[in-house]
Amino acid sequence: MTADPNAPTPTLPLSAEQLLTTTRAVRKRLDFDRPVPRALLRECVEAALQAPSGSNRWAMQFVIVTDPERRRALADVYRAGYALYREMDGVYIGSVDKGDEELNRQQQRTARSADHLAENMHRAPALVVACAPGRAEGDVAPIRKTTLLGSVLPGMWSFMLAARLRGLGTAWTTVHLFKEQDAADVLGIPNDAVTMGALTPVAFTKGTDFRPALRPDPDSVIHWDRW
Ligand SMILES: Cc1cc2nc3c(=O)[nH]c(=O)nc-3n(C[C@H](O)[C@H](O)[C@H](O)COP(=O)(O)O)c2cc1C
């Protein structure tokens, strides 16, 4: 029996609340050996395009790398950026002291997982880079910077939520931007005209049971009526 090409994509039975609270940065549970159909990646981009964008300009572009050699080249740039990041005391995820034993344990687990991703990034069946057409640097109005990335990053998060719904794992990453020109060169991106937002690996996850993580009490971050 052949599969019905018009059948809807199977999605996980998650409530909206579960989707929002269990979409984790997946690094150690990415199944590098299972191919990801292009149709699924396209569906995630379709969801991303429903996100807000400044002046409704839909100013988001996605470079989706599946070619193994290019994945390897991009992952090499990522690793070079990660090596710099790892030396940054107080910035590197494993050097941040949360001032609490349980939180520090979670932080160290995340650091090991980030190290693991850096070593294995090239093995993900797809690497996706969200881009904003334009640059907003130097002496430009702050609103231009906010609008530029603000028109792409919500879409990227929607991409990740849509991926999770389809059994795919993602992890928001940025350290390739320490070597921005090198990353742009690998991808053929005109670095003077396009801003790269985030890079994520995409792969099916090993298991689909992800849980909410430790987070601050909402009252500690809310400023009612004024800062
Ligand atoms: C702006 C930003 C940059 C990030 N850069 C990286 C990165 O370069 N590498 C990485 O492994 N994770 C990166 N992360 C992922 C964070 O480590 C992750 O979101 C955080 O630890 C929470 O993980 P959790 O959702 O699994 O709890 C980044 C996240 C954000 C929002």
Side-chain angles (χ1 to χ4, degrees), residues 23-25 27 78 82 93 110 114 117 172-175 213 215:
T23 303
R24 301 260 73 77
R27 306 182 185 93
Y78 183 85
Y82 198 82
I93 191 166
T110 309
L117 178 63
W172 196 285
T173 79
T174 49
V175 300
R215 289 294 193 259

Side-chain angles (χ1 to χ4, degrees), residues 4-221:
D4 174 2
N6 297 316
T9 301
T11 51
L12 301 179
L14 297 171
S15 69
E17 195 68 25
Q18 285 170 325
L19 181 68
L20 289 170
T21 57
T22 66
T23 303
R24 301 260 73 77
V26 186
R27 306 182 185 93
K28 286 195 162 173
R29 289 174 60 187
L30 297 172
D31 187 344
F32 295 133
D33 299 322
R34 185 171 166 199
V36 174
R38 281 194 172 202
L40 287 194
L41 296 164
R42 189 179 174 283
E43 285 177 13
C44 295
V45 171
E46 194 172 13
L49 284 163
Q50 293 290 336
S53 66
S55 303
N56 198 24
R57 288 179 61 231
W58 315 325
M60 57 183 96
Q61 302 282 318
F62 295 87
V63 182
I64 302 183
V65 187
T66 58
D67 172 66
E69 272 177 39
R70 209 177 294 268
R71 270 165 28 205
R72 164 74 70 175
L74 186 56
D76 284 345
V77 174
Y78 183 85
R79 274 186 281 277
Y82 198 82
L84 296 176
Y85 166 68
R86 228 175 172 289
E87 297 303 313
M88 294 177 169
D89 200 28
V91 176
Y92 168 58
I93 191 166
S95 67
V96 174
D97 183 0
K98 286 272 176 48
D100 172 281
E101 222 176 278
E102 193 183 2
L103 293 179
N104 278 340
R105 268 199 303 276
Q106 174 182 270
Q107 192 74 4
Q108 288 310 314
R109 274 198 305 276
T110 309
R112 296 294 78 77
S113 139
D115 293 351
H116 174 82
L117 178 63
E119 285 156 24
N120 293 283
M121 184 69 108
H122 57 283
R123 297 175 63 200
L127 300 178
V128 178
V129 182
C131 301
R135 301 288 305 195
E137 279 144 347
D139 194 19
V140 297
I143 191 170
R144 278 193 48 204
K145 300 181 187 185
T146 312
T147 307
L148 187 73
L149 280 175
S151 296
V152 170
L153 303 188
M156 187 56 151
W157 183 237
S158 292
F159 179 103
M160 293 171 153
L161 294 171
R164 160 92 172 115
L165 211 49
R166 287 161 176 76
L168 299 168
T170 58
W172 196 285
T173 79
T174 49
V175 300
H176 61 295
L177 296 175
F178 285 124
K179 299 277 180 185
E180 188 183 17
Q181 184 65 56
D182 293 347
D185 289 346
V186 166
L187 300 174
I189 289 174
N191 201 31
D192 55 347
V194 172
T195 303
M196 280 179 278
L199 154 70
T200 183
V202 183
F204 282 100
T205 56
K206 295 178 185 167
T208 56
D209 54 322
F210 294 91
R211 290 194 302 259
L214 289 172
R215 289 294 193 259
D217 186 316
D219 290 331
S220 70
V221 301

